[in-house]
Amino acid sequence: MPLEFRKEYFADERDDDLNEIGKPTQRQDMVGHVTGRSPFYDDHLFDGLCHIRCTRSPHHHAKIRRIDTSAAERMPGVRRIITGKDVPNNLNTLLSLLDFGLDDEPLLATEKVCYKGDPVAAVVADTERQAREAAAAVRVDYEVLPHVLDVEEAIKPGAPSISKPYPGNLFVYHGKYDHQKLRFGDVEAGFREADHVIEGRYQMSPIEQAPIETCGAIAAPETNDRFVCYTSTQALFFSLGTAAKLLDISSARLHFIGGTVGGGFGGKVDSLHEPMAILGTILTGRPCKYMFDRAEEMQVGAPRGAERWYITDGVMNDGRLVARKLVGYFDAGAYTRLSSYAIIKGVGHLPGPYTIPNVYSDVYCVFTNRTPATAMRGFGVTGVDFAIESHMDVCAREIGLDPVAYRIINSYRDGDMKAHRRVAKNTALIECCQVAAEKAGVKLSPSLLAASSLKDGGGVRGEIPNYTATDQHGRVEGYSSGSYAQGGQSREPVETGRAAPPRPGHETPRAPAPAARTEPASQTPAAARRDPPPPPATPRPPEPAPAPERAAPRRGPRFSSISGLRRR
Amino acid sequence: MPLTVETYPTLSEAARAFAAARAARFMGGGTILMRAVNEADQSFDTLIRTTDRAMTEIRTTGSAVTLGAGVTMASIAASRDTAFLAPVARLIGGPQVRAAATVAGNLFAAAPYGDLTAALMALGATAEMTDGRRQSIDDLIRGGPTRSLVAAVHVPVPQGGLHFRKVSRIKPKGVSVLSVAAVLPRQGGRIENARIVFNGMGARPVRAEAAERALNGQALGASAIAAAAAHAAEGLSPRDDAIATAWYRREVAGVHLRRLLEDIR
Ligand SMILES: Cc1cc2nc3c(=O)[nH]c(=O)nc-3n(C[C@H](O)[C@H](O)[C@H](O)COP(=O)(O)OP(=O)(O)OC[C@H]3O[C@@H](n4cnc5c(N)ncnc54)[C@H](O)[C@@H]3O)c2cc1C
């Protein structure tokens, strides 16, 4: 079927005089890709390249009693066995670079393993086979702990606690709640008013992004005491910041080269290959490659997390949705990675592209003993859309309406107020439904055919409800707030019994001697975190306050680097 | 543990070396074994192979066909003598896998691999070992690894043909959710000695004995088919894996058996 352009929509908002957008310009990397000349990270050959393979946990959850590397160290070709104590700053969470969330994931597990495949030791050897042989010869004495693989099981009282910073297995939002809230109007009043109250439960599986090029990185010593790192990362500066933090090294000493990604789909946003490869290089002085094989990519490469959604809709006989309650559980796996952020994004998308006067949502980021989840295309939105749209069909059937008609009735229109208190614009869902109905041969009534996203929006539909039912459900104490909810408040962590989010490191260059550190942070993480972060060696100027949400209006939208977080 | 590869001109020499080695694997086409090599599987340090021509021979003797242990799926698909098995061989892997994958290797492939084995079991094939023993495929794979090698497989040519169905989520190359092989000899219109074998409904291919009982002595009519389908999964214990859950396999086994039987009718 030929592609149709419906250029009549938003014609007045679109610049058709742009130089590239909307023009059939050839992608600059296309010729290289189709002729097989694009260099990917694994195409970089180094004389004397060493290979890194990890010893991984065979258990979902276990305490590490002892790691015995002596036999492995004596094996042929082995240059070095790396364990958690060799990692200068062995605790991280990706979003701590944005001051969001507590460090919860070691590069190499030291106290316990939290999922099947959690790395415990890494072997640097001359050949890949030697590295694999030695990785198999590392003896780890485990004390198997009870594990939990289901989101709702994980938050029941008495469930095994997986994450030290979040003992209840729930991520803490804004230092306040064990879930991300959305309240708009009064959902209970909406249900009382509704002719039908329809419930549904929707469950997604984790999905592996399965790129053709498996995740990895090659590091090598460079001149001037620097390290070069060729990597498959999708987020070069996140990877750079993460490596600098975990290795406690100035990012100025790291030369990252990426850009050609052999398939990512989100799965290469937060790989930890770069710090491992660089650490191997620091410790052996040799170029090192750390690369997932296919089985690792499938087993321990971070997937799109599973989501479970409970949706309750209050619907009138004429098809109007008057209330929607959503309770969602994201399976983050053993560590936070990007799940907490996916939820922020997902909740911004609720209640879907529909105008509903009463909306209530609680969305939980739950830790389980599964592979840590991360981004995958449209993450935070894809899963909840699956649930919402499935439920739309269920409700339409229940009240005897065509699903397309039901959607048109409820679609938001320009000028409507969305539940997260932004005015909807450029909506066009109605037009989309009309075209889809026409193509699918669905007969719509004249009034639905005459509906338009440009008409009948705004007015009362554009107002924030007079009354919004709020509550303190899920309130927690003892955490300090991350920057997402801070507005103009101070960024200093409040002094509490609980861990405060450590700040991204600001290092001064120093010689690479991580193995010589006597008391790595990993050995006393709780205590180390409770203390204020050590003062930097050179005084640094006070950090500028973050631009508060209600800062002076900017010209045009602004996007932060990978998050696409849009401030207006 | 460095890996040693030993190549012998005859299968009997290879078999002797294999029996004497502590941690050796015999290498057929290597489609499974080479993955283990690449992952530095610690359970073996020696690969034994042979260039014996007999391994790749297909011979017809009366009403049976003898397949050398090293006969590949591709040669089964290409040979006139094995036309009755060709539809099964063509369903295994893609062209590259079929060019290397061997008959004997399929006998020891982990579940849910083993589609050809299911067909061989339905046909009542026997394995000839290098120590001269002959045993049914069923006994061979139930017994697990042995110190002798498979030299050849003897396959009776079926009267009325072999019926086979592979169910996979990805077509044409996906791994089996399950597959079903059936040989249904008929005497005066009634089925006698039905042999129905499922692959994917357990740790290895298994006879569906309850379904066989439901068919024996019956004409292949609607009621017999319904009865066989109803009992398809009886006594079988499928497993959960990445392809499907045990529950799903048990639910659909009867559906696919019914479709296979209806196609024959
Ligand atoms: C991409 C892919 C797709 C596949 N698709 C299918 C499929 O659709 N259906 C299916 O059934 N299988 C499938 N397989 C599995 C496999 O390729 C086949 O089952 C094949 O027949 C295995 O044979 P091989 O000779 O390659 O085995 P090898 O890897 O050489 O050996 C497998 C095992 O058998 C043992 N062995 C080999 N020969 C002998 C012998 N003569 N005596 C004793 N032991 C022996 C070996 O020691 C080893 O333990 C697939 C594999 C791959 C990689």
Side-chain angles (χ1 to χ4, degrees), chain B residues 25-33 55 69 73 91-93 97 100-102 104-106 108-109 113-116 149-150 166 174:
Chain B
R25 295 276 191 97
F26 182 78
M27 166 129 152
T31 57
I32 293 169
L33 214 46
M55 288 288 281
M73 302 299 151
L91 287 173
I92 290 177
V97 168
T102 66
N106 197 271
F108 301 102
Y113 290 154
D115 296 322
L116 186 78
L149 301 170
V150 177
K166 173 172 168 177

Side-chain angles (χ1 to χ4, degrees), chain A residues 129 132-133 136 295, chain B residues 1 37-38 40 42:
Chain A
R129 183 165 181 101
R132 285 179 186 273
E133 304 250 5
Chain B
M1 213 169 21
V37 169
N38 287 337
Q42 300 295 297

Side-chain angles (χ1 to χ4, degrees), chain A residues 383-395:
Chain A
V384 57
D385 267 343
F386 159 73
I388 287 176
E389 297 306 330
S390 301
H391 199 57
M392 290 297 282
D393 289 349
V394 168
C395 293

